[in-house]
Amino acid sequence: MARESGSASTAAGVSSRETILNGARALIAEKGYDGMAISDLCTKSGFPPSSIYYHFGNKLGVLAALLERTFEELHALFPNPSSFDDRAPLDRLEAWFTAACASLDERPDYLRLLLVISVGPQKDSESVRATVRRIRDYAHASWVDALTPVLAPEGGRENEALIDQLAVLGQALTDGLSVANSLDGVTYRSQVTPFVALIRGLAEQRARPATKRKR
């Protein structure tokens, strides 16, 4: 019986923690991190300040935990480019980007949260900065993985530099789309075709003999 009671207590603790984090995500999206007071979080989550401090220590601890959960959810939600290895390189890129954009259309709060944090002083917190860096590095690595077979299948330092630049561009595209999605209702998926067309044109240009490119 004691074990059952302990299990129930643990489950309740996890549930309260998740409820508080859900409330924090909603409040940060609405007011920004600086505009979110502990009293707001209590009202939103239905838990007293003591519960918030017990689980997270302070307001910054709530943010750090929320970012960590976001990173875990992104891992679970976002496809890996290798999931489409049975396709031709450009089709692989398009399939991966389509799936990634579909995920972002379903959960636009992911990138909005990161953008809200990026303009506030809390971004300088070591714990926050480290988690944001992990999220950004994961996204960058996914872009590199998706683009490399299309534009640099044989490697090379010059090609790697190009892929790195395009990966930054891909991240900037989705960052910007989070604003367009919020303000104008633009979907992430609506930009798959033009971006893939851009990469296709670049790949075709690079595939031409150097003499033809100079003309």
Side-chain angles (χ1 to χ4, degrees), residues 8 10 15-16 44 46 57 73 88 91 96 111 142 161 178-179 181 185 188 201:
T10 299
S15 177
S16 62
K44 193 76 171 179
E73 289 174 340
D91 292 337
W96 168 76
L111 288 186
S142 295
S178 68
V179 177
N181 176 270
Y188 290 87

Side-chain angles (χ1 to χ4, degrees), residues 79-199:
N80 191 296
S82 62
S83 301
F84 307 99
D85 280 350
D86 59 329
R87 310 189 185 202
L90 194 62
D91 292 337
R92 176 180 183 266
L93 167 65
E94 184 171 12
W96 168 76
F97 192 33
T98 298
C101 285
S103 296
L104 287 172
D105 279 330
E106 291 175 12
R107 297 298 301 272
D109 52 305
Y110 284 140
L111 288 186
R112 288 177 193 166
L113 173 64
L114 291 180
L115 287 179
V116 166
I117 291 168
S118 71
V119 298
Q122 65 279 350
K123 71 180 185 299
D124 296 323
S125 162
E126 184 175 347
S127 59
V128 170
R129 187 170 60 248
T131 304
V132 169
R133 186 70 269 153
R134 286 172 61 204
I135 294 172
R136 303 291 290 174
D137 287 347
Y138 174 73
H140 186 86
S142 295
W143 273 109
V144 169
D145 187 356
L147 289 164
T148 296
V150 180
L151 296 169
E154 298 178 1
R157 183 170 298 178
E158 181 180 342
N159 289 336
E160 289 176 0
L162 173 65
I163 295 298
D164 189 70
Q165 291 172 339
L166 289 172
V168 172
L169 177 63
Q171 282 187 272
L173 171 64
T174 51
D175 289 343
L177 281 172
S178 68
V179 177
N181 176 270
S182 179
L183 298 180
D184 305 321
V186 176
T187 65
Y188 290 87
R189 275 173 286 197
S190 68
Q191 300 306 303
V192 171
T193 298
F195 185 81
V196 172
L198 175 68
I199 298 301

